[in-house]
Amino acid sequence: MGEEPVGVGILGLGTIGTGVAKVLGQNASVITQKLGFPLRLVRVADIDTETERGVDLRGVRFDSDAEGLIEDPGVSIVIELIGGYDVARRLTLRAIERGKHVVTANKALLALHGKEIFDAAAKRGVDVAFEASVGGGIPILRSMREGLAANRIQSLHGIMNGTTNYVLTEMERTGELLDVVVKRAQDLGFAEADPSFDIDGIDAAHKLTLLAAMAFGADLRFEDIPTEGIRGLTPLDFEAAEEFGYRIKLLGIAKLREEEGGERIEARVHPAMIPEASLLAKVDGAMNAIAVHGDAVGPTLFYGAGAGELPTASAVVADTMEIAREIRRGTAGRVAPLSYMPDALRSKPLVDLGELWARSYLVFTVLDRPGVLGHIASALGESGISIESVLQKGQSRSEGSVPIVVLTHPAQELAIQQAIAEIDRLPEVTAGTRLVRIEEDL
């Protein structure tokens, strides 16, 4: 246990950076026992050097000099926890250029600039590890890269954002409107002051970009993934979901389609109704869960805290330990970060949403007049869509608007969208139709 330590530097001492410093300090002895040598936090850089973080940094150089940290010969592994795009990209590439290995929790950075960063790391012979970028403390990426490496992954479904899962759970429990629950989530620290990345599905789409690359060897662009958030959902949707035997979750979904002309990837983020008996339906609060189906292993489920100071720090430090181990073995820089070797990654076409075949939940807002349901049923029938169930919630006075809830039999989404466009033009329809897809392949 007397070997020289591997030096570590942290860029960004926010919530996660503070957690990483705490874990490195508090668990130093167990880390040394597992590695056979110490990990030593050498430097920390952050633009704010005055705020008290509640972590012991005695013996650690703490200043605002990010470039100096990267240039420091005592730092072998740079942990990037700045967040965002531009500065994080510049400093990550600078660290790689200087021969430093990089650990990051920045899924947005990798979803947009991952190819550039991974290519630079491969040329320089250094590692980039990013377990904490998806699922917080859940070891989903390592499991896909190592534990499930022998499998051809067929599909994955994930609750990938704790904020939206908390909001949806609370809307279902309380019957409150989305804005009310989001405000409570902000007060409790589950949601950012601007929650758009979470509730609009962007954060989940960033994560799905990385997961799909690892699952299918697919070089996907984040901006090409169809993404919908949860803003349109109302208490009515949760009441209806319960009556139909479903729960509503924001899912990231990716499936492999093996076809005569080659492989295509079905990748999408949107709210979905899922059977209440399914395992994902039981994931509540701010927790995350990702179900992965492999051809050899069958269905697997990874569950845990998807965010937070210490769960995320746990994954960051685990990545740092693994790189340190590789440094000592002399094998650092040889692990394919996206599971597939870089020259095996392929650009694979995405399946258009219009090709999906599934049951749908539709809410029509209409004037309370005789014959309106008949007009809706006729428009659906003309598009080849049959109705499985109908609910009408409440009655209006003086021909006010009422919601009509329709559950369809399986149909192609293109037909559903065409029918919606036709129905929304009816004079009795007073608001745009709301669609929630039903996902039963879990």
Side-chain angles (χ1 to χ4, degrees):
M1 299 289 182
E3 291 191 46
E4 284 295 310
V6 170
V8 176
I10 299 175
L11 295 175
L13 199 63
T15 300
I16 307 306
T18 299
V20 170
K22 287 179 181 177
V23 171
L24 286 171
Q26 294 169 4
N27 293 350
S29 62
V30 72
I31 290 170
T32 299
Q33 290 167 18
K34 290 180 177 181
L35 289 177
F37 55 87
L39 276 182
R40 178 173 296 165
L41 180 57
V42 176
R43 291 184 67 154
V44 175
D46 192 282
I47 57 173
D48 176 8
T49 60
E50 302 298 325
T51 300
E52 174 57 44
R53 269 81 165 188
V55 61
D56 185 359
L57 293 178
R58 285 176 296 181
V60 177
R61 181 171 175 177
F62 178 28
D63 55 32
S64 59
D65 186 5
E67 294 283 354
L69 183 153
I70 291 170
E71 295 292 336
D72 192 324
V75 173
S76 298
I77 304 171
V78 174
I79 301 176
E80 182 280 304
L81 298 172
I82 299 168
Y85 303 103
D86 296 335
V87 174
R89 170 181 169 274
R90 177 176 61 80
L91 291 176
T92 296
L93 290 172
R94 177 64 175 161
I96 290 169
E97 178 189 327
R98 300 302 296 163
K100 307 299 172 94
H101 305 279
V102 174
V103 175
T104 182
N106 194 337
K107 62 270 182 180
L109 172 69
L110 296 178
L112 269 71
H113 302 294
K115 180 171 174 49
E116 179 186 19
I117 289 167
F118 296 141
D119 285 350
K123 288 176 183 175
R124 193 63 178 82
V126 299
D127 283 322
V128 176
F130 48 97
E131 180 65 59
S133 65
V134 180
I138 306 172
I140 179 63
L141 300 186
R142 181 169 283 107
S143 297
M144 292 182 66
R145 186 171 57 245
E146 298 174 9
L148 301 178
N151 286 257
R152 178 180 288 272
I153 303 300
Q154 297 171 324
S155 67
L156 60 89
H157 298 74
I159 296 170
M160 301 176 186
N161 183 274
T163 299
T164 52
N165 203 48
Y166 172 83
V167 169
L168 296 176
T169 301
E170 286 296 290
M171 288 182 70
E172 178 186 64
R173 183 181 70 83
T174 65
E176 294 172 324
L177 295 171
L178 182 136
D179 288 347
V180 173
V181 177
V182 169
K183 176 61 168 62
R184 185 158 66 249
Q186 290 169 324
D187 293 341
L188 292 170
F190 289 138
E192 301 287 344
D194 179 359
S196 300
F197 259 46
D198 296 322
I199 66 175
D200 290 336
I202 297 168
D203 176 76
H206 284 152
K207 295 169 181 176
L208 188 65
T209 304
L210 298 173
L211 280 171
M214 296 192 76
F216 312 121
D219 183 10
L220 299 182
R221 299 195 318 159
F222 150 74
E223 55 267 33
D224 292 337
I225 295 177
T227 302
E228 298 173 20
I230 64 172
R231 289 186 191 270
L233 297 173
T234 71
L236 166 66
D237 303 319
F238 295 90
E239 294 174 22
E242 184 178 11
E243 290 194 38
F244 290 133
Y246 296 108
R247 298 191 72 190
I248 300 175
K249 299 293 181 183
L250 181 73
L251 293 186
I253 300 167
K255 302 178 184 180
L256 179 67
R257 287 201 188 183
E258 298 179 83
E259 300 167 332
E260 212 171 284
E263 294 179 345
R264 291 194 299 159
I265 306 300
E266 184 181 315
R268 45 197 165 97
V269 172
H270 56 72
M273 287 189 176
I274 59 177
E276 59 186 6
S278 69
L279 290 175
L280 284 180
K282 303 180 190 307
V283 178
D284 286 335
M287 303 303 280
N288 281 196
I290 300 171
V292 182
H293 196 286
D295 64 343
V297 74
T300 61
L301 181 70
F302 300 85
Y303 169 87
E309 178 184 277
L310 293 181
T312 305
S314 168
V316 170
V317 175
D319 272 347
T320 307
M321 291 172 65
E322 186 59 30
I323 291 177
R325 195 177 281 122
E326 297 298 323
I327 290 172
R328 282 301 163 87
R329 289 174 181 160
T331 57
R334 301 181 188 178
V335 176
L338 292 172
S339 187
Y340 286 75
M341 296 304 292
D343 59 359
L345 291 170
R346 296 284 184 271
S347 179
K348 299 180 181 181
L350 288 176
V351 175
D352 189 85
L353 275 181
E355 295 184 42
L356 301 184
W357 186 272
R359 298 160 75 219
S360 296
Y361 162 90
L362 304 171
V363 181
F364 304 101
T365 305
V366 300
L367 295 174
D368 191 11
R369 295 176 180 172
V372 173
L373 180 57
H375 293 158
I376 290 172
S378 176
L380 290 171
E382 288 174 4
S383 294
I385 302 160
S386 60
I387 295 174
E388 180 177 317
S389 301
V390 177
L391 294 174
Q392 181 168 336
K393 292 286 186 178
Q395 291 183 323
S396 66
R397 297 178 181 177
S398 304
E399 290 195 344
S401 294
V402 295
I404 293 178
V405 174
V406 169
L407 201 68
T408 75
H409 284 289
Q412 191 175 48
E413 172 141 344
L414 179 60
I416 293 283
Q417 295 290 359
Q418 290 173 340
I420 288 173
E422 185 66 29
I423 290 167
D424 284 351
R425 286 194 288 267
L426 294 173
E428 301 94 341
V429 175
T430 59
T433 296
R434 189 158 66 256
L435 161 67
V436 178
R437 299 169 186 87
I438 296 174
E439 190 70 21
E440 294 175 294
D441 182 21
L442 296 172

